[in-house]
Amino acid sequence: IKSIALDYSTYKELRKYVSNNVIYTDSNFVSLGASDVHSGVDIIKYRTIGGKWNNYQEPQELKEGWNYPLEIYAIDHVDNKEDPVRKISIYKDTTAPVSLVNITGPKYEIEGTTYISLSSKIQISVEEKGSGIKCTKYRLNKGEWQEYDVVAGFSLREEGKYDIEYYSKDNLDNI
């Protein structure tokens, strides 16, 4: 057997991200495929780790937030078995990260407005349960989007009223 591949069957443009043998995808289905240049592929076998081996026949549906640890191998028409068995995990992720602004240092809140000092630091915390954070950006008063520095945060340097907009994007571009 020459190769085996995953085919993410979907009717939209597929997004995927691979890290440490985990494939993160926003696809609803996953298909398995293999190729053999000589006798051709007879069967593809798969199982969840430690489970019963199954013959692959049709795309498998993925559920949001589930991690699918799989072992996969193919057999050609003259009974050559792919070796070694491939181990991967597939994780469906269509959920955007959740970002929140936190202010450390002096602050005072009244009637929906938060007043801070020059020594106050603005930090953006992000919760992401899927493919991981690709970036976090913010802008002040509809200005240019800036890359957020997780370590440093940022401070305001001039007195005035500021509207802060922010977002985080995961590795599948969910926003």
Side-chain angles (χ1 to χ4, degrees):
I1 300 293
K2 181 156 181 146
S3 67
I4 191 166
L6 291 171
D7 173 21
Y8 303 88
S9 298
T10 183
Y11 293 105
K12 63 180 181 134
E13 181 180 335
L14 171 74
R15 295 178 300 185
K16 73 174 182 173
Y17 173 74
V18 180
S19 175
N20 298 324
N21 271 356
V22 178
I23 300 168
Y24 297 91
T25 182
D26 64 350
S27 178
N28 291 324
F29 293 90
V30 64
S31 298
L32 303 177
S35 65
D36 181 82
V37 294
H38 301 290
S39 67
V41 174
D42 184 31
I43 193 77
I44 298 172
K45 298 276 201 174
Y46 74 97
R47 71 177 179 182
T48 56
I49 305 288
K52 178 182 168 237
W53 285 103
N54 299 289
N55 292 339
Y56 173 76
Q57 296 175 344
E58 61 186 27
Q60 301 297 303
E61 185 173 5
L62 301 174
K63 294 184 177 153
E64 178 70 29
W66 284 32
N67 186 22
Y68 297 87
L70 297 177
E71 294 179 306
I72 305 166
Y73 71 91
I75 301 171
D76 69 13
H77 286 287
V78 291
D79 290 330
N80 291 315
K81 178 182 168 187
E82 180 179 23
D83 189 40
V85 170
R86 296 182 190 245
K87 294 180 182 183
I88 60 163
S89 288
I90 303 169
Y91 186 96
K92 182 178 176 185
D93 178 11
T94 58
T95 305
V98 176
S99 304
L100 298 170
V101 165
N102 303 305
I103 298 171
T104 59
K107 69 180 175 182
Y108 175 70
E109 296 182 40
I110 187 170
E111 297 179 9
T113 300
T114 302
Y115 295 88
I116 64 173
S117 76
L118 290 174
S119 64
S120 300
K121 186 179 280 189
I122 301 168
Q123 297 175 314
I124 302 172
S125 63
V126 183
E127 183 178 315
E128 164 60 8
K129 294 181 180 177
S131 60
I133 300 301
K134 185 176 196 176
C135 69
T136 298
K137 295 192 176 190
Y138 72 96
R139 69 180 179 178
L140 303 173
N141 297 334
K142 304 276 185 206
E144 293 294 317
W145 287 102
Q146 300 176 53
E147 196 76 32
Y148 175 72
D149 182 336
V150 177
V151 175
F154 67 95
S155 299
L156 302 176
R157 297 290 166 216
E158 294 179 18
E159 193 172 291
K161 182 178 179 186
Y162 292 88
D163 290 321
I164 302 171
E165 295 176 88
Y166 55 94
Y167 71 91
S168 294
K169 183 188 303 187
D170 72 11
N171 284 305
L172 290 174
D173 293 332
N174 293 315
I175 297 177

